[in-house]
Structure formats: structure tokens, C-alpha cells
Amino acid sequence: MYYINDNYKIKGNIEDVVEISGFPMGPSGKVYKIGDSNIKAISISNTKLANPFAWKVVYKKYEKLIEYLTTVLIDDDDDSGETMREALNQIEKFRQEIKNKYRDYLKRKELEMMAKQLQVVQKEIYERIEIIRDSLIRSNEERRSK
């Protein structure tokens, strides 16, 4: 195992396997060649170094989520509100993933920016679900009165 010190120089070969927690860098199946050794996994343990890598991964996922949510809000084809509920599930899934995997490597400002935008979209989805629910209740009452 190799490690990189603060001056970004590779220091020797450590024979003992040491479990180091950090942000996994690169694809999991890729083999890197360092010196004469093949390295299968690289983890960045310094949070300042890991931030740009983590932000890039998280922001791609965030953009995909925002694109999906925009599509859901624009399309009003669903009368039952099932796609709206699925959108809320996707938001919650994204939040949990950030909380469990990436929170240590992201800056507070980045997290707050994403959270604020997701809250706005989430509020809009809740309002639309309420409108759908009210219209279903009204239509059921009209059927009963006839």
C-alpha cells in the first residue's frame, strides 16, 4: 500500500494492509500502475483533497435528480399522483445517500444549496399531490350524490 504525504510525494511500500477510510476514487474495477505495483483501489482520506471528487460525483447525481423532478412537474398526465410520490421517494433516496456516503467530503454551503432547492421542489410536489387528492375526493363525492 502506498500513501501520499502533504507534499504529494509517494512514500515507500507499506506491506501491512491497513484499513483507511476515505473517499473512493475512480472506478472500482480499474487497476492503477504505481511503480512496479498494481493498485486496485484508491481512497482519499484528506477531506480537503476529496471534496472536488465528491462534489463532482454528487453534482452529477443532483443534476439527474433535478432533471427527473422537472419532467415530473411538467408532465401532468398522472391522475393518481403516483409519479409525484415516486419523485418524493427519489428526493429522500438522494438525501439518504448524501448523508451516508458523501457528507464528510462536502462543504456545508454545497449541502445547503442542494437542500434548499430540493425543499422548494418538494413543497411544489406536496402541493400538487394535495390538489390531486382534493380533486379525487370531489369526484368521488359527485359520483355518490348522483
Side-chain angles (χ1 to χ4, degrees):
M1 178 184 279
Y2 290 89
Y3 72 96
I4 301 176
N5 68 6
D6 291 338
N7 296 328
Y8 308 112
K9 294 182 182 177
I10 297 174
K11 295 284 186 175
N13 190 358
I14 302 171
E15 294 298 326
D16 297 328
V17 177
V18 178
E19 188 69 32
I20 298 174
S21 63
F23 181 76
M25 185 177 134
S28 60
K30 187 173 180 179
V31 177
Y32 298 94
K33 184 102 173 150
I34 298 178
D36 294 334
S37 301
N38 291 329
I39 309 299
K40 292 183 181 177
I42 296 177
S43 292
I44 303 172
S45 58
N46 185 331
T47 56
K48 287 183 181 181
L49 291 175
N51 177 266
F53 296 107
W55 176 247
K56 184 177 178 181
V57 170
V58 168
Y59 196 72
K60 280 183 183 179
K61 291 181 181 191
Y62 175 74
E63 283 181 327
K64 284 182 182 180
L65 178 63
I66 292 295
E67 184 178 319
Y68 170 72
L69 295 173
T70 304
T71 304
V72 167
L73 288 173
I74 291 173
D75 294 341
D76 283 339
D77 297 341
D78 187 20
D79 291 337
S80 65
E82 192 62 36
T83 55
M84 299 286 181
R85 285 186 204 76
E86 178 60 32
L88 290 174
N89 289 341
Q90 291 295 325
I91 291 172
E92 189 58 34
K93 180 181 173 186
F94 178 77
R95 283 188 176 155
Q96 289 299 318
E97 187 175 8
I98 297 303
K99 179 181 172 184
N100 295 331
K101 287 185 179 180
Y102 303 109
R103 178 178 279 174
D104 296 337
Y105 307 109
L106 297 175
K107 295 177 184 172
R108 175 174 243 112
K109 287 172 79 175
E110 296 166 343
L111 291 170
E112 288 174 356
M113 181 269 304
M114 288 188 293
K116 284 180 184 177
Q117 290 179 353
L118 287 176
Q119 283 175 347
V120 169
V121 174
Q122 194 173 26
K123 184 177 178 183
E124 177 67 27
I125 290 172
Y126 276 127
E127 289 173 1
R128 294 221 183 159
I129 287 175
E130 192 66 30
I131 290 169
I132 291 170
R133 189 179 70 90
D134 289 344
S135 68
L136 287 174
I137 290 172
R138 275 191 231 120
S139 66
N140 285 340
E141 288 175 357
E142 288 175 5
R143 285 185 204 153
R144 288 182 191 164
S145 65
K146 288 182 182 182

